Amino acid sequence: MDDLDALARQQLDDARASAHGRSARLFLHDDRLRQTVIALVAGAELDEHNAPPAASLQVLRGRVRLTGAGGGQELTAGQVTMTPRERHGLLAVEDSAVLLTAVMEIPAGARPSSLAEADPG
């Protein structure tokens, strides 16, 4: 079992030491499911990229902005959201660590449209 707080601290330390201001560690990979802790120093970003079929982003530390066609959404520590289906990027408003949970392939029509629909309880 991994300690998310310890992973977030380590990735932030690695991001601060990196010339690019970012660091990531894939810590869970089970068939189509992947979980990655990504750390970015303030001002660092992940360029616009295509979205996986289903994914959520949980802010473990700091404050980030999802960027893209809709103008963007700001998230702070403790918040979670589904990632946009269209191309998007991620900007660290302050030193931040996030948990990206992604499913790399799902059957057609099986993706829920919101987190509420994804939670049966």
Side-chain angles (χ1 to χ4, degrees):
M1 178 183 316
D2 285 293
D3 179 334
L4 281 179
D5 190 53
L7 283 171
R9 277 194 316 270
Q10 180 61 54
Q11 292 312 301
L12 273 169
D13 288 345
D14 291 351
R16 290 176 182 126
S18 168
H20 301 290
R22 59 184 184 247
S23 179
R25 177 164 175 235
L26 173 67
F27 69 93
L28 187 146
H29 183 191
D30 183 21
D31 193 30
R32 293 175 242 170
L33 177 66
R34 291 174 176 81
Q35 287 192 301
T36 305
V37 171
I38 303 167
L40 303 162
V41 298
E45 61 186 311
L46 298 178
D47 292 334
E48 211 171 83
H49 54 277
N50 292 325
S56 68
L57 187 73
Q58 178 181 355
V59 182
L60 302 172
R61 293 178 181 234
R63 188 164 43 119
V64 298
R65 176 176 292 281
L66 276 169
T67 60
Q73 176 184 14
E74 197 163 294
L75 302 163
T76 59
Q79 292 185 307
V80 63
T81 189
M82 292 183 77
T83 60
R85 293 182 187 185
E86 64 274 349
R87 289 180 58 82
H88 62 277
L90 185 67
L91 169 69
V93 177
E94 54 190 49
D95 288 2
S96 302
V98 299
L99 172 64
L100 174 66
T101 301
V103 176
M104 301 313 289
E105 178 185 326
I106 57 176
R111 180 183 174 139
S113 61
S114 74
L115 287 176
E117 291 178 30
D119 183 7

